[in-house]
Amino acid sequence: MNAAPESTGALPACGACCTRLEDFGVHLGGRTILENIRLHMHCGELTAVIGPNGAGKTTLLRAITGDLPHTGALRFLQHDNRESSKPLRIGYVPQKVEIDATSPTTVLDLFAAALARWPVWLGPRAAARGRTREALALVGAEPLMHRKLAEISIGQLQRVFLALALVPVPELLLLDEPVAGVDRAGTRLFYQTVSRMRTEFDLSILLVSHDLTAAAAVADRMILLNRTILCDGRPREVLLNPLIRDTFGFGFTPEELPPQRGPAIPFAHHGRRSAGAGEATP
């Protein structure tokens, strides 16, 4: 496990496609919200972000998406260490979204509005229907396609948003407390789906979670954030660190934690796949 790394310039090549935050920071209204964030996320790796309320977890995601201004650099590198000439494709699943209980909007309407250059009131075109069906099938939510958003459960709604975030397949997938308010069965299903997406589409995933042990069960890596990165390592290592008790007021014993996932993500490139296409891309 590593403490917060000091700034030493550009990070060395790793031999894998990756997303890098270098000397990343957010300063708003004369206040420093985040500073000296140096994070290196490999494709196919799920990194869980934990920290107390007010630590800057959601701010970090909003800065990555460009919703908030930031200092430092956000870079996506190919497996040969070439920086992508295209903007980083980012998928985002927010915290629970409030839906108007009287709204007639269906899951298909949501996808049509997001994906098609076509007035929603004219009805979704065949292409939008096909893409919606394929995306929902990826997360096991195809039966929800014609359901009203106001009628489905929180867990089902979050899987719908996950499907939407995967079209097109991003280089980086951001999940901001995606299972807040979801029951245990729904949480387990959501995390199983995300874990499968990580390997199936070779995604870099950044997951913000308050459920430390649930996040540890699916994460390859965990960072403790409180304005800056306090520690960074495998989930069991981080959760057994004394900083956890200092930060949250409680700690864990090894017996209370889920088994560690398999070996760390190897520094080798995996072919990226397109949602619905099932093809590897260089």
Side-chain angles (χ1 to χ4, degrees), residues 2-280:
N2 300 316
E6 296 181 0
S7 176
T8 56
L11 293 168
C14 67
C17 62
C18 59
T19 302
R20 298 186 180 190
L21 278 65
E22 300 176 351
D23 299 322
F24 203 81
V26 175
H27 310 274
L28 300 173
R31 295 176 55 234
T32 296
I33 311 299
L34 293 169
E35 61 181 349
N36 302 326
I37 303 295
R38 290 172 59 80
L39 188 56
H40 182 176
M41 298 172 285
H42 295 104
C43 296
E45 183 178 67
L46 193 156
T47 300
V49 182
I50 63 172
N53 292 334
K57 301 184 295 296
T58 294
T59 296
L60 175 64
L61 301 194
R62 292 182 63 194
I64 290 173
T65 63
D67 192 36
L68 293 175
H70 66 81
T71 57
L74 170 63
R75 308 168 62 206
F76 178 73
L77 303 181
Q78 304 290 350
H79 65 285
D80 56 3
N81 208 43
R82 287 185 299 109
E83 186 160 4
S84 175
S85 60
K86 299 179 181 179
L88 180 67
R89 292 198 308 272
I90 299 175
Y92 178 65
V93 178
Q95 297 183 33
K96 178 185 174 183
V97 176
E98 295 295 335
I99 301 294
D100 183 352
T102 65
S103 172
T105 304
T106 67
V107 170
L108 177 58
D109 292 335
L110 174 68
F111 272 77
L115 303 177
R117 297 180 179 178
W118 180 259
V120 175
W121 59 85
L122 295 180
R125 307 184 82 169
R129 290 176 182 272
R131 295 181 71 189
T132 300
R133 184 175 292 107
E134 290 178 358
L136 291 172
L138 290 173
V139 301
E142 187 177 356
L144 302 176
M145 181 168 165
H146 297 290
R147 295 277 302 278
K148 293 180 181 179
L149 295 175
E151 294 177 347
I152 63 179
S153 71
I154 298 172
Q156 291 172 327
L157 184 62
Q158 291 303 85
R159 281 193 288 141
V160 166
F161 280 118
L162 176 60
L164 189 59
L166 293 172
V167 183
V169 175
E171 277 100 14
L172 177 63
L173 177 62
L174 306 178
L175 307 174
D176 188 5
E177 291 284 354
V179 293
V182 179
D183 63 25
R184 183 61 63 180
T187 295
R188 184 170 56 253
L189 178 59
F190 185 90
Y191 281 150
Q192 287 173 347
T193 303
V194 167
S195 187
R196 179 169 55 84
M197 295 296 102
R198 157 183 48 193
T199 53
E200 188 168 346
F201 296 109
D202 205 27
L203 297 177
S204 294
I205 301 177
L206 198 58
L207 164 69
V208 170
S209 179
H210 276 105
D211 191 334
L212 308 188
T213 55
V218 296
D220 302 292
R221 175 183 179 191
M222 181 173 280
I223 64 172
L224 174 60
L225 182 73
N226 195 359
R227 198 172 79 166
T228 193
I229 296 177
L230 300 180
C231 61
D232 176 354
R234 305 296 294 277
R236 284 179 66 90
E237 295 170 344
V238 171
L239 293 181
L240 292 173
N241 190 285
L243 282 170
I244 293 295
R245 185 173 295 279
D246 295 342
T247 301
F248 296 102
F250 61 84
F252 296 95
T253 65
E255 294 74 23
E256 294 175 307
L257 298 178
Q260 183 63 62
R261 283 180 50 81
I265 299 299
F267 289 169
H269 176 67
H270 308 283
R272 300 189 63 81
R273 290 183 54 192
S274 302
E279 297 177 355

